[in-house]
Amino acid sequence: MIVIGIDLSGPANHKDTAMAVFQTIGDELVLLDMLVDVDDEKILSTIHSFTAQDIILGIDAPLSYQDGGGDRPQDKCLRHFVKEFGLSGSSIMPPTLTKMVYLTLRGVSLTRRIMNMTAAEKIRIIEVHPGAAIGTRIEPEKLSHVRHYKKDIQSRYVIFDWFKSVGLKNLSKDITETSHQMDACAAALAAWHWGDPAKKPIWHWEQITSAHPFEICC
């Protein structure tokens, strides 16, 4: 099985989009490729190149929005959940918030194109939250690094070592250069735990509707 994690940025900001492609081997997730500065066409062609196998795709971006604006029910639920672990809920923002709306637009557009791809039946898509995926799994004494890894490379080094301890293999330390590559790996971790029948996510919103067609997990 192929597991892909994408840390998506807005449509005019490809340089902050990272895509981590992993292969499941036994109880490990082995990195095959890390792509950065990725546009939509590269995302689509990369996914298509692996459709000989089943693909689990975890995307860090809102993949739907609430009619009328504001939080979706799943946003409220996840925000409450992460606070129980000592994490800030401020990173879980309404999809229609001004600073989020272009990211939401890209997430919605991209996933609809993926759903219309040839061999789309081989692809399962899940919306993920990388920071929550790390923060709800990592040892409590390392939680401060989850709060700071976006800006602090020393904290990214700690999380890099932790990734290796939870089954992510073949990682290059180069991924610590930006938080985007780290988030792509964490997106894959969450997607793996959702899509592998031998595992389960820490938190999982299963209810889907025509307006909100994708489950969410961390």
Side-chain angles (χ1 to χ4, degrees):
M1 182 171 65
I2 296 295
V3 180
I4 299 174
I6 301 177
D7 180 38
L8 204 65
S9 61
N13 187 25
H14 296 154
K15 69 180 180 64
D16 288 340
T17 297
M19 184 176 188
V21 181
F22 290 86
Q23 171 87 57
T24 57
I25 300 178
D27 198 36
E28 295 180 342
L29 208 56
V30 180
L31 184 67
L32 301 180
D33 200 5
M34 175 68 75
L35 299 89
V36 295
D37 193 8
V38 191
D39 63 16
D40 290 359
E41 299 308 320
K42 184 62 176 177
I43 290 172
L44 292 167
S45 64
T46 300
I47 293 169
H48 186 265
S49 71
F50 288 100
T51 51
Q53 303 181 60
D54 291 330
I55 297 172
I56 303 296
L57 176 60
I59 302 178
D60 175 22
L63 305 183
S64 66
Y65 64 89
Q66 187 70 12
D67 191 21
D71 281 326
R72 302 168 295 178
Q74 49 267 55
D75 299 319
K76 293 179 181 178
C77 184
L78 178 57
R79 190 180 298 118
H80 177 76
F81 181 76
V82 300
K83 287 180 179 179
E84 296 178 356
F85 286 80
L87 298 169
S88 171
S90 62
S91 63
I92 301 159
M93 293 176 276
T96 52
L97 194 69
T98 301
K99 66 187 295 184
M100 290 291 290
V101 69
Y102 289 108
L103 174 60
T104 301
L105 174 66
R106 190 180 184 195
V108 169
S109 174
L110 183 63
T111 49
R112 277 43 171 195
R113 291 183 69 187
I114 294 169
M115 292 168 69
N116 287 321
M117 287 173 56
T118 304
E121 70 279 359
K122 305 277 287 184
I123 306 164
R124 296 173 63 200
I125 301 171
I126 181 82
E127 182 180 328
V128 297
H129 192 285
I134 300 168
T136 57
R137 289 175 173 82
I138 204 166
E139 299 88 341
E141 62 271 18
K142 297 177 181 175
L143 193 60
S144 63
H145 295 290
V146 183
R147 301 188 186 104
H148 299 116
Y149 79 96
K150 298 281 189 183
K151 296 181 178 180
D152 181 8
I153 194 168
Q154 297 301 323
S155 290
R156 292 199 290 276
Y157 289 156
V158 171
I159 293 170
F160 173 80
D161 289 336
W162 177 79
F163 278 157
K164 293 187 291 183
S165 75
V166 294
L168 275 61
K169 303 300 180 182
N170 198 36
L171 301 180
S172 165
K173 205 163 188 177
D174 291 346
I175 71 167
T176 61
E177 291 176 0
T178 72
S179 65
H180 305 297
Q181 296 176 75
M182 304 289 286
D183 280 343
C185 290
L189 174 67
W192 178 36
H193 285 192
W194 169 76
D196 189 325
K199 298 185 177 299
K200 64 179 182 179
I202 299 292
W203 175 88
H204 183 198
W205 182 273
E206 299 182 68
Q207 299 96 308
I208 60 172
T209 65
S210 58
H212 305 294
F214 301 105
E215 300 174 29
I216 304 179
C217 77
C218 72

